[in-house]
Each structure stands twice: as structure tokens, then as C-alpha cells.
Amino acid sequence: MKKILGFIGIIVALGFTAYLESPEESYFGFRSSFTNETNEESEEVSAEVEEVDPFESYSSIEYEKVETKIEDGYRVESYRQYNITKDDEGNVVKKVPTDNYDYLRYKIEDE
């Protein structure tokens, strides 16, 4: 009896897994909106993008010091992250600031 229940449990688990993995257009009664079912022509959208040959340049992430201030007995240095693209000769082609900042705190010892 235990063998039969175990076998039925395995069959049910495999069936449920196959059901979840099956590619269906509707899932729980809702139709997916990933397909374009209208006959309207789609608009062409273009953006000006500066193309850089990946074999002639490379990009890196670098930090530059923004400011140094004294707070509550600590010297706090703030650094801003930049995405920098350079060519093969090491010249900066593009420098894009990000919204990421890092902060370093150093305890000021009283003398």
C-alpha cells in the first residue's frame, strides 16, 4: 500500500511539474500581453547612440573623489562612480557619471 501511494505521489508531482513547464498562451485564465495581436503598424523608434567599436575600446568603472568633510570626529571622503570608455591608446572616449557614491570614514585621533 505504501509503495502504491509513493508511486501515485511521484506521478502527481511529475504531472504538476509538466503542467507548469508547458508553454501556454494563457496562464490561469489570463492572456499574456507579450504578443502584439493588433493589425496596427508599429512606430519606428530610433535613438541617437554613439557607437564605439568594442575591439578598439574598453570600458571600466572608476571612482573620483568628490569632497572631504569633518563629521563627529571623523574625516569623511566621498567618491562618485564613473563609467569610463577608453580607446586602445588609453585616451578617454566617454565618461558617464553614475548615481553610485562610496564613503570612507577615518577616525581623527586627538593629539
Side-chain angles (χ1 to χ4, degrees), residues 33-73:
S33 62
F34 295 118
T35 58
N36 185 9
E37 295 181 7
T38 62
N39 290 331
E40 300 173 11
E41 292 183 22
S42 61
E43 293 182 23
E44 289 281 331
V45 177
S46 65
E48 294 291 326
V49 177
E50 178 183 337
E51 294 200 20
V52 178
D53 188 8
F55 297 109
E56 294 180 6
S57 66
Y58 63 93
S59 76
S60 63
I61 295 176
E62 296 181 10
Y63 290 89
E64 289 186 8
K65 185 188 264 187
V66 176
E67 68 177 336
T68 302
K69 58 186 174 181
I70 306 293
E71 284 184 354
D72 300 326

Side-chain angles (χ1 to χ4, degrees), residues 4-22:
I4 294 173
L5 288 177
F7 183 70
I8 291 173
I10 291 173
I11 297 296
V12 168
L14 288 174
F16 184 70
T17 304
Y19 171 73
L20 290 179
E21 295 294 324
S22 65

